[in-house]
């Protein structure tokens, strides 16, 4: 499992990922993050991650799980500038992102924060 992190807010509630995995052998590559928001468990997928700096487009999906099924499902897209962190040469990320997500009924949720991932073991 590769280190990755989300640290930010979802609709104003502070959130940090407690478990994450970079799936780098898929096309496109993505991050799976497990989150706890208040007392609920959520899963976040960030699709389109890369091991090259520059401007990239990402799809973000956020799902709430009640223990049996996914009860809420939000998605959105963003374009971000990916930077190399010079203090940790194998980590890329995009920072201070604000992404607006919607469900099928148009209900909005805002994800704001930092995404980081380790690309040192990318093929």
């Amino acid at each position: 499992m590769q280190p990755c992190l989300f640290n930010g807010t979802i609709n104003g509630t502070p959130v940090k990922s407690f478990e994450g995995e970079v799936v780098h052998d898929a096309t496109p590559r993505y991050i799976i993050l497990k989150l706890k928001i208040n007392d609920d468990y959520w899963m976040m997928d960030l699709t389109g991650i890369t091991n090259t700096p520059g401007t990239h487009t990402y799809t973000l999906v956020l799902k709430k799980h009640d223990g049996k099924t996914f009860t809420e499902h939000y998605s959105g897209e963003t374009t971000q500038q990916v930077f190399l962190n010079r203090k940790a040469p194998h980590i890329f990320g995009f920072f201070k992102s604000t992404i607006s997500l919607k469900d099928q009924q148009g209900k909005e949720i805002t994800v704001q924060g930092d995404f980081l991932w380790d690309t040192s073991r990318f093929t």
Side-chain angles (χ1 to χ4, degrees), residues 36-67:
K36 193 171 183 185
I37 305 172
N38 296 323
D39 287 323
D40 300 313
Y41 290 97
W42 294 70
M43 186 176 80
M44 183 186 288
D45 291 349
L46 180 70
T47 301
I49 65 162
T50 179
N51 57 353
T52 58
T55 302
H56 300 279
T57 301
Y58 299 91
T59 301
L60 189 66
V61 175
L62 183 65
K63 300 178 188 177
K64 180 180 178 182
H65 201 277
D66 67 1

Coordinates of all heavy atoms in Angstrom, one line a residue, residues 36-67:
K36 N -13.7 9.2 7.7 CA -14.8 9.2 8.7 C -15.3 10.6 8.8 O -14.5 11.5 9.2 CB -14.3 8.6 10.0 CG -15.5 8.3 10.9 CD -15.0 7.6 12.2 CE -16.2 7.2 13.0 NZ -15.7 6.6 14.3
I37 N -16.5 10.9 8.5 CA -17.1 12.3 8.6 C -18.2 12.2 9.7 O -19.2 11.5 9.5 CB -17.7 12.7 7.3 CG1 -16.6 12.6 6.2 CG2 -18.2 14.2 7.4 CD1 -17.1 12.9 4.8
N38 N -18.0 13.0 10.8 CA -18.8 12.8 11.9 C -18.7 11.3 12.3 O -17.7 10.8 12.6 CB -20.2 13.4 11.7 CG -20.2 14.9 11.5 OD1 -19.4 15.6 12.1 ND2 -21.0 15.4 10.6
D39 N -19.8 10.6 12.4 CA -19.6 9.2 12.8 C -19.9 8.3 11.6 O -20.2 7.1 11.8 CB -20.6 8.8 14.0 CG -20.0 9.4 15.3 OD1 -18.8 9.4 15.5 OD2 -20.9 9.8 16.1
D40 N -19.9 8.8 10.4 CA -20.2 8.0 9.2 C -18.9 7.7 8.4 O -18.0 8.5 8.4 CB -21.2 8.8 8.3 CG -22.5 9.1 9.0 OD1 -23.1 8.2 9.6 OD2 -23.0 10.3 9.0
Y41 N -18.9 6.6 7.8 CA -17.8 6.2 6.9 C -18.1 6.5 5.5 O -19.2 6.3 5.0 CB -17.5 4.7 7.1 CG -17.0 4.3 8.5 CD1 -17.8 3.9 9.5 CD2 -15.6 4.5 8.7 CE1 -17.3 3.6 10.7 CE2 -15.1 4.3 10.0 CZ -16.0 3.8 11.0 OH -15.5 3.6 12.2
W42 N -17.1 7.0 4.8 CA -17.2 7.4 3.4 C -16.0 6.9 2.7 O -14.9 6.6 3.2 CB -17.1 9.0 3.3 CG -18.3 9.7 3.9 CD1 -18.6 9.8 5.2 CD2 -19.3 10.4 3.2 NE1 -19.8 10.5 5.4 CE2 -20.2 10.9 4.2 CE3 -19.6 10.6 1.8 CZ2 -21.3 11.6 3.8 CZ3 -20.7 11.3 1.5 CH2 -21.6 11.9 2.4
M43 N -16.1 6.8 1.3 CA -15.0 6.4 0.5 C -14.9 7.5 -0.6 O -15.9 8.0 -1.1 CB -15.3 5.1 -0.2 CG -14.2 4.5 -1.0 SD -14.5 2.9 -1.7 CE -15.5 3.3 -3.1
M44 N -13.6 7.8 -0.9 CA -13.4 8.9 -1.9 C -12.4 8.3 -2.9 O -11.4 7.7 -2.6 CB -12.7 10.1 -1.2 CG -12.5 11.2 -2.2 SD -11.5 12.6 -1.4 CE -12.7 13.3 -0.3
D45 N -12.8 8.4 -4.2 CA -11.9 8.0 -5.3 C -11.5 9.3 -6.1 O -12.3 10.1 -6.5 CB -12.7 7.1 -6.3 CG -13.0 5.8 -5.8 OD1 -12.5 5.4 -4.7 OD2 -13.8 5.1 -6.5
L46 N -10.2 9.4 -6.3 CA -9.6 10.5 -7.1 C -9.0 9.8 -8.3 O -8.0 9.2 -8.2 CB -8.6 11.3 -6.3 CG -8.0 12.4 -7.1 CD1 -9.0 13.5 -7.3 CD2 -6.8 13.0 -6.3
T47 N -9.6 10.0 -9.5 CA -9.2 9.3 -10.7 C -8.4 10.3 -11.6 O -8.7 11.4 -11.7 CB -10.4 8.8 -11.5 OG1 -11.1 7.9 -10.7 CG2 -10.0 8.1 -12.8
G48 N -7.3 9.8 -12.1 CA -6.4 10.6 -13.0 C -5.1 11.0 -12.4 O -4.4 11.8 -13.0
I49 N -4.8 10.4 -11.3 CA -3.5 10.8 -10.6 C -2.3 10.4 -11.5 O -2.4 9.5 -12.3 CB -3.3 10.3 -9.2 CG1 -3.2 8.8 -9.2 CG2 -4.5 10.7 -8.3 CD1 -2.7 8.2 -7.9
T50 N -1.2 11.1 -11.3 CA -0.1 11.0 -12.2 C 1.2 11.1 -11.5 O 1.2 11.6 -10.3 CB -0.2 12.1 -13.3 OG1 0.9 12.0 -14.2 CG2 -0.2 13.5 -12.7
N51 N 2.3 10.7 -12.1 CA 3.6 10.9 -11.5 C 4.4 11.9 -12.3 O 5.6 11.9 -12.3 CB 4.4 9.6 -11.4 CG 4.5 8.9 -12.8 OD1 3.9 9.3 -13.8 ND2 5.2 7.8 -12.8
T52 N 3.7 12.8 -13.0 CA 4.3 13.9 -13.7 C 3.7 15.2 -13.3 O 2.5 15.3 -13.1 CB 4.2 13.7 -15.3 OG1 2.8 13.7 -15.6 CG2 4.9 12.5 -15.8
P53 N 4.6 16.2 -13.1 CA 4.0 17.6 -12.8 C 3.3 18.2 -14.0 O 3.4 17.7 -15.1 CB 5.3 18.4 -12.4 CG 6.4 17.7 -13.1 CD 6.0 16.2 -13.2
G54 N 2.5 19.2 -13.7 CA 1.8 19.9 -14.8 C 0.3 19.9 -14.5 O -0.2 19.5 -13.4
T55 N -0.5 20.4 -15.5 CA -1.9 20.6 -15.3 C -2.6 19.3 -15.7 O -2.3 18.8 -16.8 CB -2.4 21.7 -16.2 OG1 -1.7 22.9 -15.8 CG2 -3.9 21.9 -16.0
H56 N -3.5 18.8 -14.9 CA -4.2 17.5 -15.1 C -5.6 17.6 -14.7 O -6.0 18.4 -13.8 CB -3.5 16.4 -14.4 CG -2.1 16.2 -14.7 ND1 -1.7 15.5 -15.8 CD2 -0.9 16.6 -14.1 CE1 -0.3 15.5 -15.9 NE2 0.1 16.2 -14.9
T57 N -6.5 16.8 -15.3 CA -7.9 16.8 -15.0 C -8.2 15.6 -14.2 O -7.7 14.5 -14.4 CB -8.7 16.7 -16.3 OG1 -8.5 17.9 -17.1 CG2 -10.2 16.7 -16.0
Y58 N -9.0 15.7 -13.1 CA -9.3 14.7 -12.2 C -10.8 14.5 -12.0 O -11.5 15.5 -12.1 CB -8.7 15.0 -10.8 CG -7.2 15.1 -10.8 CD1 -6.6 16.3 -11.0 CD2 -6.4 14.0 -10.6 CE1 -5.3 16.5 -11.1 CE2 -5.0 14.1 -10.7 CZ -4.5 15.4 -10.9 OH -3.1 15.5 -11.0
T59 N -11.2 13.3 -11.8 CA -12.6 13.0 -11.4 C -12.6 12.6 -9.9 O -11.8 11.8 -9.5 CB -13.2 11.9 -12.2 OG1 -13.2 12.3 -13.6 CG2 -14.7 11.6 -11.9
L60 N -13.5 13.2 -9.1 CA -13.6 12.9 -7.7 C -15.0 12.3 -7.4 O -16.0 12.9 -7.8 CB -13.3 14.2 -6.9 CG -13.2 14.0 -5.4 CD1 -11.9 13.2 -5.0 CD2 -13.2 15.3 -4.6
V61 N -15.0 11.2 -6.8 CA -16.2 10.5 -6.4 C -16.2 10.3 -4.9 O -15.2 9.9 -4.3 CB -16.4 9.2 -7.1 CG1 -17.7 8.5 -6.6 CG2 -16.5 9.4 -8.6
L62 N -17.3 10.7 -4.2 CA -17.4 10.6 -2.8 C -18.7 9.8 -2.5 O -19.8 10.2 -2.9 CB -17.5 12.0 -2.1 CG -17.5 12.1 -0.6 CD1 -16.3 11.5 0.0 CD2 -17.8 13.5 -0.2
K63 N -18.6 8.7 -1.7 CA -19.7 7.8 -1.4 C -19.8 7.6 0.1 O -18.8 7.3 0.8 CB -19.5 6.5 -2.1 CG -19.5 6.5 -3.6 CD -19.3 5.1 -4.1 CE -19.0 5.0 -5.6 NZ -18.7 3.7 -6.0
K64 N -21.0 7.6 0.6 CA -21.3 7.3 2.0 C -21.7 5.9 2.1 O -22.5 5.4 1.3 CB -22.3 8.3 2.6 CG -22.7 8.1 4.0 CD -23.8 9.1 4.5 CE -24.2 8.9 5.9 NZ -25.2 9.8 6.3
H65 N -21.2 5.2 3.2 CA -21.6 3.8 3.3 C -22.2 3.6 4.7 O -21.7 4.0 5.7 CB -20.3 2.9 3.2 CG -20.6 1.5 2.9 ND1 -21.0 0.6 3.9 CD2 -20.6 0.8 1.7 CE1 -21.2 -0.6 3.3 NE2 -20.9 -0.5 2.0
D66 N -23.4 2.9 4.7 CA -24.1 2.7 6.0 C -23.8 1.4 6.6 O -24.5 1.0 7.6 CB -25.6 2.9 5.8 CG -26.2 1.8 4.9 OD1 -25.5 0.9 4.5 OD2 -27.5 1.9 4.7
G67 N -22.8 0.6 6.1 CA -22.5 -0.7 6.6 C -23.0 -1.8 5.7 O -22.6 -2.9 5.8

